[in-house]
Amino acid sequence: MTPLVEATNVTKTFPVGRNVLGRPRAWVRAVTDVSITLQPGETLGLVGESGCGKSTLGRLLLRLIEPTSGDVRFEGRSLLGLRGRELRGLRRRMQIVFQDPYGSLNPRMRVEAIVGEGLLIHKMGNRAERRAKVRELLDLVGLPPEAAARYPHEFSGGQRQRIGIARALALGPSFVVADEAVSALDVSIQAQILNLLQDLRRRLALTMLFVSHDLRVVEHLADRVAIMYLGRIVEEGARAAVYGNARHPYTRALLSAVPVPDPTRKAERQHLPGEPPSPVAPPPGCAFHPRCPFAIDRCRTEVPELLAGRGGHAVACHVFPVE
């Protein structure tokens, strides 16, 4: 089966500061040599600490930012070679739900204009048809039709995120990036939005990249999970494989921090020493080795390759390779 979305050896660097000649003083390596695929109808959970490059990778897959190197393909076509009308037409198939339900909605626009903006830009239907479509979308995400006439400040955080989801679905996309879509919400509201995304994924046959720092949330939604550390994928596999047989020490530490809903069971927390290295000056070898209790000499000099084993479970680790 041809992947719906495929990134091959994608790298993205950003300049930091300028000298007197206008040249960058340094470069931030936000994403380094990442290759991932998403099959039609699949949800991939992308997990990692803040600043590891998760959101940057999501925007690279949508070509909201340009990669420094590598390639991104959608339905077998390279996005990097598309321009103008051809790229605009393809953008209808790829949408994003932003993290902040407060900052991502224009406070000067009514909900009808926010949700229907994409329909207007792409000249889909007349005014009456667009209004009917907006109300249909609001009903789809659990909001009443009269919400179309109100402004964003009149809604709660969870309701605003539902508006953001409706906006993302307006053009009938097949691929959606949910960028920390529930991290700014209360826990009870998180569950409602997650259930909504789960339901929409099934009803609309969506392919989704779900970006999060919370493994507990990702377990509820994703078919496959990819763990990211300092711009690289360090472990990837089916949800059951990653949660049931985590190989990389970083993945194990993240899983140990997930709360256990059983007061009689004491979880063994694995504490990682130090802080994540700077992406401006990453350490040689495995980027995780300064914090890894199992690091060997090879880890300090050689970057581990992401190698797949049984069932496609892939790990980038010299000490705990794939089985």
Side-chain angles (χ1 to χ4, degrees), residues 31-182:
V31 175
T32 304
D33 197 29
V34 169
S35 297
I36 62 170
T37 61
L38 285 94
Q39 299 294 338
E42 180 182 48
T43 296
L44 173 65
L46 184 61
V47 185
E49 294 171 300
S50 296
C52 72
K54 308 184 301 294
S55 295
T56 300
L57 179 58
R59 284 163 169 76
L60 287 169
L61 295 183
L62 298 174
R63 204 187 157 191
L64 294 178
I65 55 177
E66 301 285 338
T68 304
S69 62
D71 190 23
V72 179
R73 306 182 74 85
F74 183 81
E75 295 180 332
R77 303 168 63 191
S78 175
L79 293 180
L80 306 186
L82 301 180
R83 295 290 185 273
R85 182 178 299 178
E86 193 174 21
L87 178 60
R88 178 179 292 185
L90 202 59
R91 287 203 183 282
R92 292 169 53 180
R93 309 284 309 282
M94 306 177 294
Q95 294 293 318
I96 184 170
V97 178
F98 294 99
Q99 174 180 358
D100 184 4
Y102 296 91
S104 62
L105 304 179
N106 190 331
R108 298 177 181 272
M109 297 173 64
R110 296 183 188 271
V111 169
E112 181 176 328
I114 292 172
V115 176
E117 187 173 21
L119 300 171
L120 180 63
I121 291 172
H122 288 272
K123 299 179 174 61
M124 298 177 65
N126 56 37
R127 184 175 181 180
E129 290 171 338
R130 290 194 296 268
R131 294 188 69 179
K133 179 65 175 178
V134 167
R135 281 154 176 76
E136 178 186 328
L137 289 164
L138 292 177
D139 179 66
L140 184 65
V141 299
L143 291 174
E146 55 269 22
R150 295 158 62 186
Y151 289 94
H153 73 269
E154 300 179 63
F155 297 91
S156 67
Q159 290 173 324
R160 292 188 196 194
Q161 197 61 290
R162 290 175 187 269
I163 295 169
I165 293 170
R167 175 177 59 184
L169 298 177
L171 298 175
S174 54
F175 175 50
V176 173
V177 173
D179 184 12
E180 299 274 13
V182 298

Side-chain angles (χ1 to χ4, degrees), residues 286 296 298-305 316-321:
C286 175
I296 58 178
R298 185 183 179 189
C299 301
R300 299 177 177 89
T301 58
E302 183 181 338
V303 177
E305 186 179 354
C317 184
H318 296 307
V319 181
F320 300 100

